[in-house]
Amino acid sequence: MPGQYPIDLGLTGLGYDYTVYGVGGADAYSSGGLGSSGANGIEVMYSMGDFTAHISASDTNDRIAAYGAYTFSGWTVALGLQDSSAATDTEITATVGGTVGPVSLGLAYAETGANVDRFVLSAGMDVGAATNVEAYYASQSDKSDDSYGIDFNHSLGGGTSLRGGVASNFSGQTVADFGVRFNF
């Protein structure tokens, strides 16, 4: 769903507190060879012009989920809903993202079936031909500390980049990383 990963913090994600769906569970695929004992699922994706939709269902927690997104004037608005037997799963999520001048902005919200919610505000901008800076602020209703962080990404060309970031997570700990990413 657009807006669920509004930035790419540092080299390792630093806990991914900036992902709004992180407030509750979501389906994941594993090719671990479980055969008939594994979770079964189905998904349908649709796109026409500026509208996209995605519907999925799986055995895992009897989940059925859907989102719709529409892009207009450089802004994308998306709404996702999920029904699940697990109260900790995300039940509703909404995102808005676009640009104002050189700055990309994002606002996202998610709530679980247990009424735990998370808000994420994110921003990013290029500060040179090969470098960008990103930042986020996140608040979750069942956490005493808010989370926030900043990073940089500098392209060295050929799919190689220097990346680093620092964040204060929901536990109040400061975490940081720095390294080289190779995309081939």
Side-chain angles (χ1 to χ4, degrees):
M1 181 176 146
Q4 294 296 311
Y5 282 93
I7 63 172
D8 186 14
L9 192 68
L11 184 65
T12 63
L14 297 173
Y16 296 96
D17 287 351
Y18 56 89
T19 58
V20 72
Y21 76 85
V23 73
D27 279 337
Y29 172 77
S30 171
S31 61
L34 295 176
S36 63
S37 66
N40 294 301
I42 186 170
E43 69 179 345
V44 176
M45 294 178 275
Y46 175 79
S47 180
M48 184 174 81
D50 293 330
F51 177 76
T52 59
H54 189 149
I55 300 170
S56 65
S58 74
D59 296 351
T60 308
N61 295 329
D62 297 318
R63 286 188 179 119
I64 185 165
Y67 86 78
Y70 187 74
T71 300
F72 60 96
S73 301
W75 289 83
T76 300
V77 178
L79 175 66
L81 303 170
Q82 178 172 258
D83 185 34
S84 167
S85 61
T88 57
D89 280 353
T90 298
E91 296 274 323
I92 185 170
T93 182
T95 63
V96 176
T99 59
V100 175
V103 179
S104 62
L105 298 172
L107 178 62
Y109 170 81
E111 183 178 335
T112 69
N115 296 318
V116 175
D117 60 12
R118 182 184 289 184
F119 289 93
V120 176
L121 178 62
S122 61
M125 71 179 289
D126 292 336
V127 293
T131 306
N132 77 326
V133 175
E134 301 168 314
Y136 80 94
Y137 171 82
S139 179
Q140 186 168 313
S141 61
D142 66 344
K143 304 290 184 184
S144 59
D145 291 320
D146 291 340
S147 179
Y148 50 90
I150 189 167
D151 81 341
F152 79 94
N153 303 298
H154 178 75
S155 175
L156 299 173
T160 304
S161 59
L162 290 176
R163 295 171 173 263
V166 62
S168 177
N169 63 26
F170 285 125
S171 300
Q173 299 171 319
T174 300
V175 293
D177 67 6
F178 175 77
V180 179
R181 178 182 288 180
F182 299 96
N183 292 331
F184 299 113

